[in-house]
Amino acid sequence: MNKRMLAPTIISIAMATVMAGAAISPAIGLIAANFPNADPVLIKLILTAPSLIIIPFSFVSSYLTTKMSKRAIVLMGLVIYIISGVGAQFTNSIETLLAFRFALGAGVGLVMPLSISLISDHFVGREQVKMMGYSSAFSNLGGIVTMTLAGFLATYGWNVPFNVYWMGAVIFILVYFFLPTNTPVKPHGDSGRKVKLPLSVYGYALASGSIMLVYYGIATNMAIYLEQGKIGGSGIAGIVMSFTTIGGMITSLTLAQLQETLKKFLIPLSVLFMGIAFATLSLTSSIPLILLAVCFVGLGQGILFPLINLKALGLVNPLQSDRVIAVVSSCIYIGQFSSPLVLDSIARALGHPTIRFQYFLIGIALVTSVVIMAAIAILNKTKKSPSL
């Protein structure tokens, strides 16, 4: 077994998961034009359908680790991923296309929790932190590459962008040859399955879902925000949104160094910078400031998601790692799916249905959460200090 290829192989699995929904987003207009009689809601579901199915199949993946090796589950998930991803281009009805997209979500759901728990299985300490960062960074890179490629392929027809899912075949080959076959199978009824997860795990899962809910406010609302402020059109929106990915890649690649330097302050500082960035978006109409702000939003998420996964995994026996990742990842996808619904509903309820006001609320909420974290830390320190 080539150990030098183990890290790239595990990272490649993470890249496959980020390609699920957004990879074909550049072609969504062409798809809508090809199915002119389709309900607009069904057209939107082409992008969101995989996210809905990923959640239950994450728990199916966790259950299957009691029956077979993780390598076998990943290979099975990738086969579903390739067939459903590529096969969607041969459909002639919106219903069949959606069926393929739901199947794609099943394949990703099987693979996604293992893309993280395999890091926990094969790496420890600083190497584990570094690998979590690399996994997040290259997932972002995979999203950039596939969306750029899909945009190019869309010039040849509405269905051609689905060929980006052939990248799953490359990942399949890497997993087949370089992922160890001796990942232990958990015996049925072991402690990883019977013991309840600590409540703190659900707390971290809720935190992940909340971060994704506000972070996805950039992807879903930036184009409208720029139009409402008469700042720019869809072309500028694409450039602005790419800066969140750039920010995320920077911090993900340097995560181990940042953790060693800032230690317990890293998470609150990340949340604080995200809060300030959203508050800046609510106040400015300057393109350079907007680019800087969204870059800082990306910097924050590039730190928070890997660290939350690490902290949640650190609370449990390694036998429970797949179950933990299934819970945390499910909350992330719930946050992603519900982001526009929650943010729009709150803004409307308060009588200010603009995106600028949404960003203001997010900024206030994030800064307030940092104040609460600081207050809790001070109270805990006071309780631990011996009385005079």
Side-chain angles (χ1 to χ4, degrees):
M1 187 63 63
N2 189 339
K3 290 187 177 180
R4 288 182 299 180
M5 288 301 296
L6 178 60
T9 298
I10 294 175
I11 288 171
S12 74
I13 297 170
M15 290 176 69
T17 63
V18 81
M19 293 160 49
I24 54 128
S25 59
I28 199 69
L30 292 173
I31 294 171
N34 187 71
F35 298 101
N37 298 321
D39 189 315
V41 174
L42 295 181
I43 297 297
K44 291 179 182 179
L45 274 175
I46 292 169
L47 294 182
T48 60
S51 298
L52 296 175
I53 300 301
I54 285 170
I55 295 170
F57 273 86
S58 295
F59 291 97
V60 172
S61 176
S62 176
Y63 170 75
L64 288 176
T65 59
T66 67
K67 305 295 182 182
M68 60 182 74
S69 72
K70 293 183 181 181
R71 178 177 177 271
I73 299 168
V74 172
L75 291 174
M76 179 172 61
L78 286 171
V79 169
I80 298 171
Y81 178 94
I82 297 164
I83 293 172
S84 56
V86 177
Q89 67 183 298
F90 303 110
T91 60
N92 54 16
S93 73
I94 193 69
E95 291 79 13
T96 310
L97 177 56
L98 281 172
F100 272 94
R101 299 297 288 171
F102 280 120
L104 178 71
V108 174
L110 292 177
V111 170
M112 183 194 59
L114 305 185
S115 70
I116 299 171
S117 68
L118 282 167
I119 294 174
S120 177
D121 292 340
H122 294 284
F123 299 90
V124 295
R126 189 177 190 275
E127 287 299 309
Q128 187 182 86
V129 177
K130 189 187 294 184
M131 278 294 295
M132 283 290 187
Y134 286 168
S135 175
S136 178
F138 282 93
S139 291
N140 286 326
L141 179 62
I144 294 171
V145 171
T146 52
M147 280 191 280
T148 302
L149 181 59
F152 169 74
L153 293 175
T155 61
Y156 295 95
W158 73 269
N159 54 349
V160 182
F162 289 96
N163 284 292
V164 297
Y165 292 107
W166 279 117
M167 292 180 71
V170 177
I171 300 167
F172 182 95
I173 293 168
L174 288 172
V175 171
Y176 185 84
F177 285 106
F178 300 117
L179 192 66
T181 58
N182 59 347
T183 303
V185 178
K186 301 175 198 171
H188 184 67
D190 70 286
S191 60
R193 192 61 49 199
K194 290 292 184 182
V195 176
K196 288 184 178 180
L197 295 179
L199 283 176
S200 299
V201 169
Y202 297 99
Y204 282 122
L206 182 61
S208 280
S210 300
I211 293 296
M212 176 55 79
L213 188 149
V214 300
Y215 171 68
Y216 220 64
I218 298 292
T220 56
N221 290 327
M222 182 51 65
I224 301 170
Y225 163 82
L226 293 171
E227 288 175 8
Q228 286 178 348
K230 296 181 172 53
I231 302 167
S234 58
I236 296 294
I239 295 170
V240 170
M241 283 187 281
S242 71
F243 269 69
T244 60
T245 304
I246 292 168
M249 287 184 65
I250 291 170
T251 48
S252 295
L253 289 170
T254 57
L255 184 61
Q257 294 90 331
L258 287 169
Q259 190 186 46
E260 288 174 355
T261 303
L262 296 172
K263 297 181 173 62
K264 63 181 180 180
F265 298 105
L266 184 54
I267 286 180
L269 279 175
S270 300
V271 177
L272 178 62
F273 280 122
M274 285 184 73
I276 293 171
F278 273 107
T280 301
L281 288 173
S282 73
L283 298 171
T284 188
S285 295
S286 163
I287 289 293
L289 273 179
I290 290 170
L291 291 174
L292 183 63
V294 297
C295 187
F296 270 94
V297 172
L299 289 170
Q301 67 85 19
I303 291 169
L304 291 169
F305 287 128
L307 280 188
I308 288 173
N309 279 325
L310 281 169
K311 287 186 174 294
L313 287 169
L315 293 170
V316 300
N317 186 295
L319 291 172
Q320 296 175 289
S321 62
D322 303 300
R323 193 167 155 216
V324 167
I325 295 303
V327 170
V328 174
S329 299
S330 295
C331 280
I332 288 174
Y333 278 100
I334 291 170
Q336 177 179 313
F337 179 76
S338 63
S339 177
L341 302 174
V342 173
L343 296 178
D344 287 355
S345 297
I346 292 173
R348 285 198 199 98
L350 294 175
H352 297 279
T354 64
I355 305 305
R356 192 175 290 271
F357 182 72
Q358 287 186 27
Y359 289 163
F360 174 76
L361 288 178
I362 292 171
I364 293 296
L366 290 172
V367 172
T368 301
S369 69
V370 175
V371 173
I372 293 170
M373 281 190 275
I376 292 171
I378 292 169
L379 285 172
N380 288 338
K381 190 174 181 180
T382 304
K383 287 179 182 179
K384 290 179 182 177
S385 300
S387 56
L388 295 176

